[in-house]
């Protein structure tokens, strides 16, 4: 089952955030999902809001658009800093990323 099929089966809204304290600035996330992630002038990755604006606040979250779910999950899996967290909106349980169960 693909990542998108899992999400559709569970019909759960997901959100993503980045822990900048762990970010290594490799930019892999921005390569996989430039609609969701971007490197700032400080060399660290941040999530982007629906208006395409960087959200520099610590722990800022954005919804994961279903068409980009696979790219966001791949970003979390490939991130060398293990700083990308994808969690369910309903109970805030991490489903992809370093703290996923």
């Amino acid at each position: 089952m693909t990542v998108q099929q899992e999400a559709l089966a569970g019909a759960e809204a997901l959100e993503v955030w980045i822990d900048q304290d762990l970010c290594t600035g490799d930019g892999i996330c921005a390569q996989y999902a430039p609609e969701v992630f971007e490197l700032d002038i400080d060399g660290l990755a941040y999530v982007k809001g629906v208006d395409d604006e960087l959200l520099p606040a610590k722990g800022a979250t954005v919804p994961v658009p279903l068409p980009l779910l696979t790219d966001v999950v791949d970003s979390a899996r490939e991130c060398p800093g293990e700083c990308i967290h994808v969690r369910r909106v309903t109970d805030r349980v991490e489903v992809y990323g370093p703290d996923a169960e």
Side-chain angles (χ1 to χ4, degrees):
M1 185 179 291
T2 68
V3 170
Q4 285 183 326
Q5 289 169 333
E6 288 176 24
L8 284 174
E12 299 179 90
L14 300 175
E15 62 187 5
V16 61
W17 66 281
I18 296 177
D19 182 345
Q20 280 78 29
D21 291 337
L22 299 175
C23 181
T24 58
D26 289 273
I28 291 171
C29 55
Q31 291 175 13
Y32 275 108
E35 303 87 350
V36 178
F37 307 108
E38 185 174 324
L39 294 178
D40 199 7
I41 194 165
D42 63 3
L44 301 178
Y46 294 85
V47 293
K48 296 183 346 182
V50 291
D51 56 359
D52 210 35
E53 186 174 329
L54 230 61
L55 302 178
K58 189 173 183 125
T61 63
V62 295
V64 177
L66 188 56
L68 299 175
L69 178 59
T70 300
D71 294 334
V72 171
V73 170
D74 287 345
S75 297
R77 289 180 175 158
E78 298 297 323
C79 177
E82 296 185 346
C83 64
I84 300 172
H85 304 265
V86 180
R87 63 186 177 204
R88 289 189 299 255
V89 172
T90 54
D91 59 7
R92 300 175 59 94
V93 170
E94 188 162 319
V95 291
Y96 300 105
D99 299 329
E101 298 174 353

